Amino acid sequence: MRRRHHSAMASPLTLHDDRLFPADPGTREVARRIYATTRELPIISPHGHVPPRWIARNEHFGNPTKLLLTPDHYINRVLHANGVELSELGVGRGDEMTEADNRRAFRLLCEHWADFNGTAMRYWLVDQLVGIFGVDVRPSAATADTIYDTIAARIDEPDFRPRQLMDAFRIEFLATTDDPCDDLGLHAELAADGEFSARHRVVPTFRPDRYLEPARPDWNELVDALGAAAGVDVGTLDGYTQAMAERRRYFKAHGAVSSDHSHADLVTLILDHDEAARLYDRARRGRATADEALALRRHLFTDQARLACEDGLTMTVHPAVVRNHDAGAFARYGADVGGDIPAKLEATRGLQQLLNAYGNDPNLNLVLFTLDEDVYSRELAPLAAWYRSVYIGVPWWFVDAPESIMRFKQDVTEMAGFSRISGMVDDTRAFCSIPARHDMSRRLDAAHLAGLVTAHRLDEDEALDQARALVVDNPTRIFKLGR
Amino acid sequence: MRRRHHSAMASPLTLHDDRLFPADPGTREVARRIYATTRELPIISPHGHVPPRWIARNEHFGNPTKLLLTPDHYINRVLHANGVELSELGVGRGDEMTEADNRRAFRLLCEHWADFNGTAMRYWLVDQLVGIFGVDVRPSAATADTIYDTIAARIDEPDFRPRQLMDAFRIEFLATTDDPCDDLGLHAELAADGEFSARHRVVPTFRPDRYLEPARPDWNELVDALGAAAGVDVGTLDGYTQAMAERRRYFKAHGAVSSDHSHADLVTLILDHDEAARLYDRARRGRATADEALALRRHLFTDQARLACEDGLTMTVHPAVVRNHDAGAFARYGADVGGDIPAKLEATRGLQQLLNAYGNDPNLNLVLFTLDEDVYSRELAPLAAWYRSVYIGVPWWFVDAPESIMRFKQDVTEMAGFSRISGMVDDTRAFCSIPARHDMSRRLDAAHLAGLVTAHRLDEDEALDQARALVVDNPTRIFKLGR
Amino acid sequence: MRRRHHSAMASPLTLHDDRLFPADPGTREVARRIYATTRELPIISPHGHVPPRWIARNEHFGNPTKLLLTPDHYINRVLHANGVELSELGVGRGDEMTEADNRRAFRLLCEHWADFNGTAMRYWLVDQLVGIFGVDVRPSAATADTIYDTIAARIDEPDFRPRQLMDAFRIEFLATTDDPCDDLGLHAELAADGEFSARHRVVPTFRPDRYLEPARPDWNELVDALGAAAGVDVGTLDGYTQAMAERRRYFKAHGAVSSDHSHADLVTLILDHDEAARLYDRARRGRATADEALALRRHLFTDQARLACEDGLTMTVHPAVVRNHDAGAFARYGADVGGDIPAKLEATRGLQQLLNAYGNDPNLNLVLFTLDEDVYSRELAPLAAWYRSVYIGVPWWFVDAPESIMRFKQDVTEMAGFSRISGMVDDTRAFCSIPARHDMSRRLDAAHLAGLVTAHRLDEDEALDQARALVVDNPTRIFKLGR
């Protein structure tokens, strides 16, 4: 009977206006009213991974697979788990995908549609398929080609370019993520376009991870490049530090509001200057032991907080992921394709040296993300409810999903309140998912606040103010976006 | 007033048709419709602890205490905590319990009825008492004897034998758990009974834990016995490995679909052959240090995955319990009576060696269970949403309870989807609780899916298909049950 | 528009009779009925931090800031995070706050009112402001002075003294927390007041932490003082142990029912007598290494359990907080002002030595608290569902908040049942918040039990009995309060 139903005619695909709202009708009514006041607000995206070239050159998005599938490692990893080769999806191929390849890849996604039941990826996809592309049939083997054609036609429309979409999506602020040696020419181009930049800010983010990891085999070359980019001799730690400060200054001059950091742990360490200089020297000569390289990395990471106290860039920290866990996939497809797995996080003791030195500095904002949910109520909320610099980053990556976000809200708000939460950070390279993600966040804000109203813990007018603050005030304040 | 109420007449004991469904009436309606499509489906129980003798000999269950109380370490431990001696319940006694002993034991349970308020054990008990035995009064000191009599009479009925109950319970597939040296004669008897085996499969499970722990004082004897059972000289590691492979083959020939594993941690290790052989040799001569024994155990456990890639047995892993935590109780009552306490689990780094070697092997299915709920979203869902072999085991033992199962569903589904979840595994030796446990699971599937429908994250026809898949397709696929 | 609304007239502040109840109307009805049976029951507060002097001398509470703000480190830490200096709130000042200072401090709280949205602190504050002080406007800059005046007037009323409030709040039993060397004169005064003590028991709690930490720089002086207080020569470990036993006896003679313990970990250790005596000797001579001091602390803490088996004092344990995490704030303001951050907890292995020795002793009650929520279902519920001495402490400090308490209930009840839970422990020094906290607890008991009734897991009459047991029977039994 299931099969007959599915083959007789395609099932409809719809986007319900009440999606993600609480089941209880009374609470749902409150959620609707709250959401009505935030749904049309502009999008502020203070951390993400959209390539600046797309916007600077206003590039055509290519085709449905190239737009929605190949670059989305959330979707790819689920397909991989269910037996699809990443190369079939266009990942890590030497060659260009043909039209037939792209259709085949897209069909794989549609065939595996039920494997996404209940996932956040499905939620975002439906929002895009219906809301942006006007698709009205459920993905399946039978409907794959029709859907592909519908999307392809939309992509070819003249208003379907990054800059036009930024208007349509009401993206007011968008941060990209960039290498410290990047000349930021694309950002300069965008800033120079007065007509565009009157309506949108597209700014870089300083991402120095690789330059802080002396254990990397390519660290010396990276540091040399950093010195060259900064025009500073990096032969000593002082030179290296000066080069870092200079590149941060350069980023800030190009609009950057934050630096982003992701290391395997969150241990901070402040070595005395001579010891740090000695380790730097050993690392530069390739003689640092594993322990020394680790100590130096922790010191250099902590030193970014010191620099942030000086230049005021907000620090976002995304720690404790074992990158490229699957060595075979890494060898075949390279980094960032899906084989990353989170690990336990410890912040209380790990952050103590950084926080004792800079934790209440009025110029430092430190936004802490985690994939380890146990840390929310145990460490992040108490830290953010004491240290002035500490803010709690919203759920990210594996935990950026509706139920998980509700857990987060319930875990941190009761101790830290709303003022210590980062506001929505989409952290995505999937351009068309940006409005879906921010809309999901606003719906869940409304759902959570409606729950507080129904439990008589907050008045409705307070909930309306709070909802707006989460969308506008918190990111503006925490990422210092006031012009 | 309470006392008057209780003594005036016994309170009724009922089984509500809506039990465990969501409170919101709209969501409850959806849950009812979903559950209606799965409630009558046959039971597939791919991992459990029912003694095969019960079924092979179609044994009489004895009496209410022997059936429901003495062997149930979930119930026993709560009674123990509340001051009851295990020996009063029939555990670890040298002598046979008399009728008076059994009645007294059963009365203890009834007297402590309120101590089970809110527990999973109470839920299962009520389901059995009302649904199987027709009990209609709440257990208490006053009703204990009546209830005992009611159950005893039912046990004595001719259709109340394991094989007849398997029909009544619609148990289609049942795996027992067996020692690698077991000759599986009882399973052979069952398979040879064409009339029975046309309707039911009762298969063994290969449980080699003890043979993989060189630190055990009896390890050398166990390995000798393994060699004897396999007819292989286990004087060297190669012989040991050959014996293991041979016994796995023997189990598979007798219908086994999986091996089951439970060690104190989930650290995997692949030693090079010479080093492993050297450690094996030292362990056989009783000279392995604690560290060497641990390394060898990790290597031998990891080697089971290699063997599984060859013979295709699914691996279920139940790690990180401190067994026999209470040394005094262990000395008095022996193992598995209740004094086991879970510990933290780490899977991301621990499993890396195994997964890098075999994690995407098309012949390996690795079902990971945990008692550490923090691991669900942090490690298990991301692992299962990448590695093709990895599946997430449903909540087990201490966390096999309604609210906990809902947390599990919400924790893992959003990243890994439903296709990466094992489906119901009851893991029980309490024969009469099997239908209650599977029914509970189906009710919670319906509750969870209804929530997704009400939040407009899934259409109802998709939820119906998904509910069926969780009961039928997932275990059939993951445990390779297709004949 | 928001601003207009706020300035046009003050928003009302109200206390809804259904606060914290479930959203679903049917479940809410059940919760109302359950709560109606417990709301008027007397308060039993078996662990807290109210200074005994307040009650003994029946002191005037001073002013709103001194009563509600300066001593409340929950509120202070959120204000600190949001930029307020603790000294502005009256913390750690050498001088006395003037009337103007107090008004300014109270205004800071009112100005930051929205920073408390969604927090437990706001919930308790509203309950006090409306319920105790009759405030009917929402705190803000505009209303701060009016509210201050309203509260100040109430404080000055003759019935607003600790003893009168104990009657008004129906506080039947209140435990303070006291130093082992305290002469307990204030408690003796209270006990001697027959009129007062006929209606209230105010008892001390033995809190020996500092005396068990040989790593403290002042440990030798503390031990000397202990010896002097006990009249025992503490030159040897045996003398020290005798002094401890003597002071425990002294506390018990003054009404104490429990000892309270908070160390950085929960590792227990029983050294053999000679080794312990040797470490004690080294520590007394200032020669213990850090490892030796740690081992000795673990041994001495474990020995408190042995003493408890003898004298029957219940042990409450609040482990795993990094105290004074912010070294700068500690230097400026001293201990206990807010810079404490929780850390991971491990209980399963850590407690094994203590539990193997004393875990089933009929005279020992051990109440385990945690700030690490992952431990609830993984360790605390299984431990309490086996060992007769182990009880699970309700959420404490950072996790003593409505959503968090509901998580706790759902995490532990399904395995351990209600009989193994401590009952409400407010752990507070904020005197006027005591009824709000206990009321919150009873509302959440009702909400949780109503959920079980609606899910048909418990009959309503059972839920009523259970609600009463949580408020009365559990603390009476676990803290041995029967006279």
Side-chain angles (χ1 to χ4, degrees):
Chain A
M1 205 169 99
R2 279 190 299 146
R3 292 179 193 284
R4 178 155 52 78
H5 172 69
H6 284 179
S7 61
M9 67 175 111
S11 301
L13 192 72
T14 57
L15 208 51
H16 198 285
D17 215 45
D18 281 343
R19 62 195 182 277
L20 302 185
F21 287 166
D24 171 65
T27 315
R28 184 169 281 204
E29 269 301 322
V30 180
R32 280 183 190 135
R33 290 197 294 269
I34 296 170
Y35 172 64
T37 67
T38 59
R39 75 180 301 171
E40 305 289 340
L41 289 173
I43 288 174
I44 297 170
S45 176
H47 178 68
H49 295 273
V50 171
R53 172 175 303 273
W54 290 0
I55 305 165
R57 300 292 145 81
N58 210 23
E59 289 182 350
H60 188 280
F61 282 113
N63 60 68
T65 293
K66 191 178 167 202
L67 172 60
L68 298 174
L69 190 49
T70 306
D72 192 323
H73 62 84
Y74 288 72
I75 295 175
N76 291 348
R77 64 183 298 149
V78 171
L79 291 173
H80 177 269
N82 285 287
V84 174
E85 285 301 323
L86 292 190
S87 55
E88 298 179 90
L89 305 174
V91 176
R93 291 168 67 117
D95 62 338
E96 193 69 21
M97 296 270 277
T98 65
E99 164 77 4
D101 290 338
N102 283 316
R103 278 194 181 270
R104 207 176 298 116
F106 196 81
R107 178 183 299 274
L108 283 167
L109 169 63
C110 295
E111 286 171 352
H112 281 276
W113 188 244
D115 290 339
F116 291 90
N117 284 353
T119 64
M121 295 75 91
R122 178 192 148 110
Y123 179 86
W124 295 321
L125 267 177
V126 172
D127 201 324
Q128 294 169 70
L129 291 176
V130 179
I132 298 179
F133 299 103
V135 172
D136 61 2
V137 292
R138 184 184 300 164
S140 70
T143 61
D145 275 327
T146 309
I147 296 174
Y148 189 94
D149 292 338
T150 304
I151 300 171
R154 182 79 183 91
I155 289 175
D156 284 341
E157 288 177 22
D159 68 340
F160 204 85
R161 293 296 177 96
R163 293 191 180 199
Q164 283 68 40
L165 289 179
M166 284 188 73
D167 280 324
F169 295 165
R170 284 188 293 275
I171 300 175
E172 198 174 85
F173 184 92
L174 183 79
T176 63
T177 296
D178 309 272
D179 190 277
C181 294
D182 193 299
D183 69 5
L184 305 180
L186 295 164
H187 291 85
E189 278 180 38
L190 282 163
D193 180 340
E195 198 267 332
F196 176 78
S197 62
R199 294 192 317 282
H200 311 283
R201 278 167 77 188
V202 177
V203 308
T205 298
F206 190 75
R207 174 76 177 254
D209 288 0
R210 302 189 300 159
Y211 302 84
L212 306 177
E213 290 277 10
R216 287 179 65 104
D218 58 356
W219 183 71
N220 261 312
E221 294 156 46
L222 287 163
V223 172
D224 290 341
L226 182 80
V232 173
D233 178 352
V234 292
T236 64
L237 175 63
D238 290 345
Y240 169 94
T241 305
Q242 196 188 328
M244 270 290 169
E246 167 54 27
R247 293 309 295 168
R248 290 174 62 101
R249 193 202 58 70
Y250 185 84
F251 268 62
K252 193 173 177 187
H254 283 75
V257 298
S258 70
S259 67
D260 183 49
H261 306 270
S262 180
H263 299 288
D265 62 52
L266 199 48
V267 180
T268 60
L269 186 63
I270 300 179
L271 299 170
D272 77 47
H273 179 271
D274 289 357
E275 173 64 3
R278 190 183 70 80
L279 293 187
Y280 180 82
D281 191 54
R282 284 179 60 83
R284 288 291 280 165
R285 286 183 289 121
R287 295 195 182 164
T289 64
D291 281 354
E292 287 172 335
L294 184 63
L296 184 55
R297 185 263 280 166
R298 288 168 174 172
H299 173 84
L300 295 176
F301 167 67
T302 313
D303 205 47
Q304 293 282 317
R306 186 184 60 76
L307 294 171
C309 292
E310 290 175 4
D311 61 31
L313 292 180
T314 293
M315 284 181 88
T316 60
V317 189
H318 294 83
V321 183
V322 177
R323 303 277 173 177
N324 310 308
H325 190 273
D326 183 342
F330 178 58
R332 252 193 303 168
Y333 298 115
D336 297 327
V337 298
D340 300 343
I341 311 287
K344 283 183 195 179
L345 180 63
E346 200 286 329
T348 296
R349 290 192 173 89
L351 279 174
Q352 197 164 10
Q353 292 214 16
L354 187 159
L355 292 175
N356 272 281
Y358 317 117
N360 292 310
D361 191 291
N363 217 23
L364 179 66
N365 286 348
L366 181 65
V367 188
L368 300 175
F369 295 82
T370 184
L371 298 167
D372 184 350
E373 297 191 43
D374 194 30
V375 174
Y376 290 152
S377 71
R378 188 184 67 214
E379 306 187 17
L380 296 193
L383 285 166
W386 173 259
Y387 287 104
R388 289 180 187 143
S389 67
V390 175
Y391 294 90
I392 312 170
V394 294
W396 150 60
W397 200 347
F398 299 100
V399 290
D400 180 10
E403 292 286 355
S404 172
I405 289 171
M406 292 303 280
R407 292 195 295 274
F408 167 80
K409 288 171 174 293
Q410 290 165 350
D411 283 356
V412 305
T413 312
E414 296 197 310
M415 174 46 54
F418 292 96
S419 71
R420 315 302 303 163
I421 298 174
S422 69
M424 178 60 185
V425 172
D426 57 63
D427 194 35
T428 193
R429 71 194 72 208
F431 191 79
C432 287
S433 79
I434 292 174
R437 285 165 194 257
H438 285 263
D439 181 75
M440 179 172 107
S441 170
R442 294 171 192 189
R443 288 177 177 278
L444 296 169
D445 286 348
H448 177 233
L449 289 163
L452 291 173
V453 170
T454 307
H456 304 289
R457 298 181 60 183
L458 202 64
D459 290 335
E460 189 166 326
D461 70 300
E462 294 176 299
L464 296 177
D465 287 356
Q466 189 61 69
R468 184 189 172 84
L470 283 170
V471 174
V472 179
D473 306 353
N474 283 28
T476 300
R477 172 167 50 91
I478 296 167
F479 287 90
K480 306 178 183 174
L481 304 186
R483 295 233 195 205
Chain B
M1 205 167 98
R2 279 189 297 146
R3 290 179 196 284
R4 181 156 48 79
H5 172 67
H6 285 178
S7 61
M9 67 175 113
S11 302
L13 191 72
T14 58
L15 209 50
H16 198 286
D17 215 45
D18 281 342
R19 60 195 185 277
L20 302 185
F21 287 167
D24 172 65
T27 315
R28 185 168 281 205
E29 269 301 323
V30 180
R32 281 183 189 134
R33 290 197 292 270
I34 296 169
Y35 172 65
T37 68
T38 58
R39 75 181 301 171
E40 305 290 342
L41 290 173
I43 288 175
I44 297 170
S45 176
H47 177 68
H49 294 273
V50 171
R53 172 175 304 271
W54 289 1
I55 305 165
R57 301 290 146 82
N58 209 23
E59 290 184 349
H60 188 280
F61 282 114
N63 60 68
T65 293
K66 190 179 168 201
L67 173 60
L68 297 174
L69 189 50
T70 306
D72 192 322
H73 62 84
Y74 288 73
I75 294 175
N76 291 348
R77 63 183 300 149
V78 171
L79 290 174
H80 178 269
N82 286 287
V84 174
E85 285 302 323
L86 293 189
S87 55
E88 298 179 89
L89 305 174
V91 176
R93 291 167 68 115
D95 61 338
E96 192 70 19
M97 295 270 278
T98 65
E99 164 78 4
D101 291 337
N102 283 317
R103 280 195 181 267
R104 207 176 300 117
F106 196 81
R107 178 183 300 273
L108 282 168
L109 168 64
C110 294
E111 286 170 352
H112 281 276
W113 188 244
D115 291 338
F116 291 90
N117 283 353
T119 64
M121 294 75 89
R122 179 192 148 109
Y123 179 85
W124 295 321
L125 268 177
V126 172
D127 201 324
Q128 294 168 71
L129 291 176
V130 179
I132 298 180
F133 299 102
V135 172
D136 60 2
V137 291
R138 185 185 300 163
S140 69
T143 62
D145 275 326
T146 310
I147 296 174
Y148 189 93
D149 292 336
T150 305
I151 299 171
R154 181 79 184 93
I155 289 174
D156 283 342
E157 289 176 21
D159 67 340
F160 204 85
R161 293 294 177 98
R163 293 192 182 198
Q164 282 67 39
L165 289 178
M166 284 189 74
D167 280 324
F169 296 165
R170 284 189 293 274
I171 300 175
E172 198 174 86
F173 185 93
L174 183 78
T176 63
T177 297
D178 308 274
D179 190 276
C181 293
D182 194 299
D183 69 5
L184 305 180
L186 295 163
H187 291 86
E189 278 180 38
L190 282 164
D193 179 340
E195 198 267 333
F196 176 79
S197 63
R199 293 193 316 282
H200 309 284
R201 278 166 77 187
V202 177
V203 308
T205 298
F206 189 75
R207 175 77 177 253
D209 289 0
R210 302 189 301 157
Y211 302 83
L212 306 177
E213 292 276 11
R216 287 179 65 103
D218 57 356
W219 182 71
N220 260 313
E221 294 156 46
L222 287 163
V223 171
D224 290 341
L226 183 79
V232 173
D233 178 354
V234 292
T236 64
L237 175 63
D238 290 344
Y240 169 94
T241 305
Q242 198 188 325
M244 271 290 170
E246 168 54 26
R247 292 310 295 169
R248 291 174 61 101
R249 193 203 56 70
Y250 184 85
F251 268 62
K252 193 172 178 187
H254 283 75
V257 298
S258 69
S259 67
D260 183 49
H261 306 270
S262 180
H263 298 288
D265 62 52
L266 200 48
V267 180
T268 60
L269 185 64
I270 300 178
L271 299 170
D272 78 45
H273 179 272
D274 288 358
E275 173 66 1
R278 190 182 69 81
L279 293 186
Y280 180 83
D281 191 54
R282 284 178 61 83
R284 288 290 282 166
R285 286 184 290 119
R287 296 194 181 165
T289 65
D291 281 354
E292 287 172 335
L294 185 64
L296 183 56
R297 185 263 282 166
R298 289 169 174 172
H299 173 85
L300 296 176
F301 167 67
T302 313
D303 205 47
Q304 293 282 317
R306 186 184 60 76
L307 294 170
C309 292
E310 290 175 5
D311 61 30
L313 291 181
T314 293
M315 284 182 88
T316 60
V317 189
H318 294 84
V321 183
V322 176
R323 302 279 173 177
N324 310 309
H325 189 273
D326 184 341
F330 178 59
R332 254 194 300 168
Y333 298 116
D336 297 326
V337 298
D340 300 342
I341 311 287
K344 284 183 195 180
L345 181 63
E346 200 286 327
T348 296
R349 290 193 173 88
L351 279 175
Q352 197 164 9
Q353 291 212 18
L354 187 159
L355 292 175
N356 272 280
Y358 317 116
N360 293 310
D361 191 291
N363 217 23
L364 180 66
N365 286 348
L366 181 65
V367 187
L368 301 175
F369 295 80
T370 184
L371 298 166
D372 183 352
E373 298 192 42
D374 195 28
V375 174
Y376 290 152
S377 71
R378 188 183 68 213
E379 306 186 17
L380 296 194
L383 285 166
W386 173 261
Y387 287 103
R388 289 179 189 144
S389 66
V390 176
Y391 294 90
I392 312 170
V394 294
W396 151 61
W397 201 348
F398 300 100
V399 290
D400 180 11
E403 292 285 355
S404 173
I405 289 171
M406 291 303 280
R407 290 195 296 275
F408 166 80
K409 289 171 173 292
Q410 289 164 352
D411 282 357
V412 305
T413 311
E414 296 197 311
M415 174 47 53
F418 292 95
S419 71
R420 315 300 303 161
I421 298 173
S422 68
M424 179 58 184
V425 173
D426 57 64
D427 194 33
T428 194
R429 72 194 71 207
F431 191 79
C432 286
S433 78
I434 292 174
R437 285 165 194 256
H438 285 263
D439 181 74
M440 179 173 107
S441 170
R442 293 171 194 190
R443 288 175 177 276
L444 296 169
D445 286 348
H448 178 232
L449 289 163
L452 291 173
V453 171
T454 307
H456 304 289
R457 297 180 61 182
L458 202 64
D459 290 335
E460 189 166 325
D461 70 300
E462 295 176 298
L464 296 177
D465 287 354
Q466 188 61 69
R468 186 188 171 83
L470 283 170
V471 174
V472 180
D473 306 354
N474 283 29
T476 301
R477 171 168 50 90
I478 297 167
F479 287 89
K480 305 178 184 175
L481 304 185
R483 295 234 194 199
Chain C
M1 203 168 98
R2 278 190 298 147
R3 290 181 194 283
R4 179 155 50 78
H5 172 67
H6 284 180
S7 61
M9 67 174 111
S11 302
L13 191 72
T14 57
L15 209 50
H16 199 285
D17 215 47
D18 281 342
R19 59 195 185 278
L20 301 185
F21 286 166
D24 172 64
T27 315
R28 184 168 281 206
E29 269 301 324
V30 181
R32 280 182 190 136
R33 291 197 293 268
I34 297 170
Y35 172 65
T37 67
T38 59
R39 73 181 303 172
E40 305 291 341
L41 289 174
I43 288 174
I44 296 170
S45 175
H47 178 68
H49 295 273
V50 171
R53 173 175 302 274
W54 291 0
I55 305 165
R57 302 290 146 84
N58 209 24
E59 290 184 348
H60 187 281
F61 282 114
N63 60 69
T65 293
K66 191 179 167 201
L67 172 59
L68 298 174
L69 190 50
T70 306
D72 192 323
H73 62 83
Y74 288 72
I75 294 175
N76 291 348
R77 62 182 300 149
V78 171
L79 290 174
H80 177 270
N82 285 287
V84 174
E85 286 301 325
L86 293 190
S87 55
E88 298 179 89
L89 305 174
V91 176
R93 290 167 68 118
D95 62 338
E96 192 69 20
M97 295 271 278
T98 65
E99 164 78 4
D101 290 338
N102 283 317
R103 280 194 181 269
R104 207 176 299 118
F106 196 81
R107 178 182 300 274
L108 282 168
L109 169 63
C110 294
E111 286 171 351
H112 281 276
W113 188 245
D115 290 339
F116 292 89
N117 283 353
T119 63
M121 294 75 90
R122 178 192 148 109
Y123 178 86
W124 295 320
L125 267 178
V126 172
D127 201 324
Q128 294 169 71
L129 291 175
V130 179
I132 298 179
F133 299 102
V135 172
D136 61 2
V137 292
R138 184 185 298 163
S140 70
T143 62
D145 276 326
T146 308
I147 296 174
Y148 189 93
D149 292 337
T150 305
I151 299 171
R154 182 79 183 92
I155 289 175
D156 284 341
E157 289 176 20
D159 67 340
F160 203 86
R161 292 295 177 98
R163 294 193 181 197
Q164 282 67 41
L165 290 178
M166 284 189 73
D167 280 322
F169 296 166
R170 285 187 292 274
I171 300 175
E172 198 174 87
F173 184 93
L174 182 79
T176 64
T177 297
D178 308 274
D179 191 277
C181 294
D182 194 300
D183 68 6
L184 305 180
L186 295 164
H187 291 86
E189 279 180 38
L190 282 164
D193 180 341
E195 198 268 333
F196 175 78
S197 63
R199 294 193 315 282
H200 310 283
R201 279 168 76 190
V202 176
V203 308
T205 298
F206 189 75
R207 174 76 177 255
D209 289 0
R210 301 189 303 158
Y211 302 83
L212 305 177
E213 291 277 10
R216 287 179 66 104
D218 57 356
W219 182 72
N220 260 312
E221 295 158 44
L222 287 163
V223 171
D224 289 343
L226 182 79
V232 173
D233 177 353
V234 293
T236 63
L237 175 63
D238 290 345
Y240 168 94
T241 304
Q242 197 188 329
M244 271 291 170
E246 168 54 27
R247 292 311 294 169
R248 291 175 60 101
R249 193 202 57 72
Y250 185 84
F251 269 62
K252 192 172 177 188
H254 283 75
V257 298
S258 69
S259 67
D260 183 49
H261 306 270
S262 180
H263 299 287
D265 63 52
L266 201 47
V267 180
T268 60
L269 186 63
I270 300 178
L271 298 171
D272 76 48
H273 179 272
D274 288 356
E275 173 66 1
R278 191 184 68 82
L279 293 187
Y280 180 82
D281 190 54
R282 285 179 61 82
R284 289 289 282 165
R285 286 184 288 120
R287 294 194 183 165
T289 65
D291 281 355
E292 288 172 335
L294 185 63
L296 183 55
R297 186 262 281 166
R298 289 169 174 172
H299 173 84
L300 295 177
F301 167 68
T302 312
D303 204 47
Q304 293 283 317
R306 184 183 59 78
L307 294 170
C309 292
E310 290 175 6
D311 61 30
L313 291 181
T314 293
M315 284 182 87
T316 60
V317 189
H318 294 85
V321 183
V322 176
R323 303 278 173 177
N324 310 308
H325 190 273
D326 184 341
F330 178 59
R332 254 194 301 169
Y333 299 115
D336 297 326
V337 298
D340 299 342
I341 311 287
K344 283 182 196 180
L345 180 63
E346 200 286 327
T348 297
R349 291 191 174 88
L351 279 173
Q352 197 164 9
Q353 292 212 17
L354 187 159
L355 292 175
N356 271 281
Y358 318 115
N360 293 311
D361 191 290
N363 217 22
L364 179 65
N365 286 348
L366 181 65
V367 188
L368 301 175
F369 294 82
T370 183
L371 298 166
D372 184 350
E373 297 191 42
D374 195 28
V375 174
Y376 289 152
S377 71
R378 189 185 66 214
E379 307 186 18
L380 296 194
L383 286 166
W386 173 260
Y387 288 103
R388 290 181 188 142
S389 67
V390 175
Y391 294 90
I392 312 171
V394 294
W396 150 61
W397 200 348
F398 300 100
V399 291
D400 179 11
E403 292 286 355
S404 172
I405 289 171
M406 292 303 280
R407 290 196 295 276
F408 166 81
K409 288 169 174 294
Q410 290 164 352
D411 283 357
V412 305
T413 312
E414 295 197 310
M415 174 46 53
F418 292 94
S419 71
R420 315 300 303 161
I421 297 174
S422 69
M424 179 59 183
V425 172
D426 58 64
D427 194 34
T428 193
R429 71 194 72 207
F431 191 78
C432 287
S433 79
I434 292 174
R437 285 165 195 256
H438 284 264
D439 181 75
M440 180 172 106
S441 170
R442 293 170 193 190
R443 289 176 176 277
L444 296 169
D445 286 348
H448 178 232
L449 289 162
L452 291 173
V453 171
T454 308
H456 304 288
R457 298 180 61 183
L458 202 64
D459 290 334
E460 190 166 325
D461 70 301
E462 295 175 298
L464 296 178
D465 286 355
Q466 189 61 70
R468 185 189 172 84
L470 284 170
V471 173
V472 180
D473 306 354
N474 284 29
T476 300
R477 173 168 48 92
I478 297 167
F479 288 89
K480 307 178 183 174
L481 305 186
R483 297 232 195 202

